[in-house]
Amino acid sequence: MEFSRVAAVAADTSDPKAGLRAVASLRVLADAWELRQVEAALRSGMTWQEIADALGVTRQAAHKKHAKRVDPTILNPRRTT
């Protein structure tokens, strides 16, 4: 099912069972998109704090959610001081 159709089903309250399945599908899709954007942000040199600010969460929350999931080839230097 295409994105716009899934979104329409998720917004339609006439069939809650289908709507809930659509919401769950959108959640999975949004999570995958979020990870891709976090990886792009790290590649561009953004800090975890900048990523967190963009997501509207704390640095700790962003790091906890994504740090173990990001592509391990992305250089992410650790603080040494």
Side-chain angles (χ1 to χ4, degrees):
M1 195 180 305
E2 69 181 58
F3 173 75
S4 59
R5 176 70 181 128
V6 174
V9 173
D12 184 356
T13 58
S14 67
D15 184 353
K17 194 174 192 177
L20 289 168
R21 285 192 305 263
V23 167
S25 294
L26 291 172
R27 189 175 291 123
V28 168
L29 185 57
D31 194 47
W33 285 344
E34 184 175 313
L35 177 59
R36 289 184 65 194
Q37 292 298 337
V38 168
E39 290 176 335
L42 290 169
R43 283 188 182 100
S44 76
M46 287 177 67
T47 65
W48 281 107
Q49 186 61 59
E50 292 169 322
I51 293 167
D53 291 345
L55 291 172
V57 299
T58 65
R59 181 190 56 79
Q60 293 86 351
H63 189 267
K64 182 177 180 178
K65 182 175 181 179
H66 296 294
K68 292 182 181 178
R69 299 171 52 209
V70 295
D71 180 346
T73 64
I74 297 172
L75 295 178
N76 189 12
R78 293 183 183 265
R79 190 180 306 172
T80 57
T81 59

